[in-house]
Amino acid sequence: MGTAEGGAGMGPDERKRLFEQAREYSTRQHRWTEADRLWVRVIDAYREATRRPGPVDSEDRRQLARALWRRAMLLSALGRPGPGMVPGREAVAIFEQLNDAARGTGQDHATPRRDEALAELVTAVVDVAEVAFAAGQPAARVQLLERAIAAGLLTVGSPTTAGPRTREALGTAYHNQATALLHRALSGSTGDLMEAALAASRACELRQGLLDPARPLGFWELANTYGVYAQCLVLVNEFDRAGTVLKLGNRLVDTLGPAGAEPALKLRVAAEMLAQQRGGVPRPRRWGWRRR
């Protein structure tokens, strides 16, 4: 019992079991405090495993990075994003090393192993960027999002040639970058609206290419990006294009039904912005708004 409680000398099966238990608890809000304690034990166990004499199992390092990353996100959800930055940054450093190791194999970047390594790196950096924002560090958020995108581009060159998991991760990175730059501009801080519009456009391109009826979340994600993209286009005076994007977004929202409430809100804001710029009033029938 003492060994399991402290994490010392824990075997690989027990580490995996504890990891899965912590992950399960993290999905239940009423068990978040317990989940945090479990993640501390999981991290200690995998840290010890990676420090033993002899060759280090890459899967143990990957699990350590995943545990640190998940604890960072949990701490943020618990209202402690500042402390969450510490395990978050450590996770990113390990994921970078794992991605470098995968690149060193000489395999094509779209193969499953390299795709997974790069996708996890990009996703972890994107998530830590949002932890930074929750911690009141908007500049760090933008810098981390730039770092996530740069990591992807350095490896694959063109995002559209990446493996599916990396394309999905980069789609989120570009979407979040557009959101961050838009937020900075609308809150009166410095922000490049044209760069925000370009990031949203890239996110749309990647998410359009990933649409799959077997993955409904992809339609929600694309509709969400359309809402951000349309707002950016209005602010850079691309009114006709904004109208086209709104129509595309509304079609998706209509198919999503009640599940599309969040993208619908972003699209509604964009429609109101567009109507104001054109000197009119939003007309529900034109823009397809429906009360749900």
Side-chain angles (χ1 to χ4, degrees):
M1 289 295 292
T3 297
E5 286 299 318
M10 198 179 290
D13 291 341
E14 193 171 2
R15 289 195 294 270
K16 289 178 182 178
R17 181 194 61 77
L18 199 64
F19 183 101
E20 291 304 322
Q21 186 179 13
R23 182 162 62 176
E24 181 188 350
Y25 282 12
S26 295
T27 65
R28 307 179 191 179
Q29 189 170 353
H30 69 284
R31 306 204 78 163
W32 279 356
T33 301
E34 292 175 82
D36 184 39
R37 289 197 292 267
L38 283 176
W39 282 127
V40 171
R41 291 173 56 198
V42 171
I43 289 166
D44 286 346
Y46 278 105
R47 201 186 298 283
E48 184 200 19
T50 60
R51 289 175 176 171
R52 289 173 184 164
V56 176
D57 187 337
S58 62
E59 186 60 23
D60 283 338
R61 296 184 66 214
R62 186 172 290 107
Q63 287 289 90
L64 173 59
R66 287 168 175 165
L68 288 161
W69 165 29
R70 290 178 182 277
R71 182 166 190 243
M73 299 299 292
L74 181 63
L75 286 171
S76 184
L78 284 166
R80 299 164 58 197
M85 291 296 294
V86 177
R89 289 191 181 279
E90 184 181 354
V92 167
I94 298 172
F95 278 127
E96 285 177 333
Q97 294 166 3
L98 290 166
N99 184 58
D100 288 343
R103 289 174 64 191
T105 63
Q107 296 178 340
D108 184 87
H109 58 249
T111 57
R113 177 183 173 184
R114 290 197 57 188
D115 185 31
E116 178 185 41
L118 181 55
E120 285 199 311
L121 168 59
V122 172
T123 301
V125 180
V126 168
D127 285 346
V128 174
E130 297 312 307
V131 174
F133 182 61
Q137 302 175 34
R141 178 199 200 186
V142 173
Q143 291 168 359
L144 283 163
L145 289 169
E146 290 173 350
R147 181 175 170 182
I149 293 167
L153 297 183
L154 178 65
T155 303
V156 303
S158 172
T160 56
T161 67
R165 291 189 58 180
T166 298
R167 280 182 281 136
E168 184 181 335
L170 283 171
T172 301
Y174 278 121
H175 171 91
N176 286 21
Q177 183 184 46
T179 301
L181 293 172
L182 178 63
H183 177 268
R184 289 178 68 175
L186 293 177
S187 63
S189 304
T190 57
D192 189 332
L193 286 170
M194 186 59 70
E195 186 179 354
L198 288 171
S201 176
R202 292 176 183 130
C204 286
E205 180 183 11
L206 287 165
R207 289 182 163 179
Q208 286 166 349
L210 289 166
L211 287 181
D212 181 351
R215 183 176 173 270
L217 178 61
F219 293 87
W220 186 96
E221 290 173 336
L222 179 57
N224 207 35
T225 299
Y226 278 146
V228 174
Y229 189 24
Q231 291 180 44
C232 293
L233 289 171
V234 172
L235 292 171
V236 297
N237 300 320
E238 291 277 358
F239 302 139
D240 290 342
R241 188 176 298 177
T244 299
V245 171
L246 277 168
K247 291 176 183 177
L248 292 170
N250 286 329
R251 287 174 191 163
L252 278 181
V253 164
D254 285 343
T255 65
L256 290 168
E262 185 176 337
L265 177 60
K266 288 186 174 69
L267 289 160
R268 186 175 295 113
V269 169
E272 291 170 352
M273 291 166 61
L274 181 61
Q276 184 178 23
Q277 289 295 325
R278 286 176 164 171
V281 178
R283 290 178 287 180
R285 291 189 65 182
R286 179 178 180 185
W287 298 113
W289 299 123
R290 298 179 181 176
R291 293 188 182 276
R292 303 202 182 279

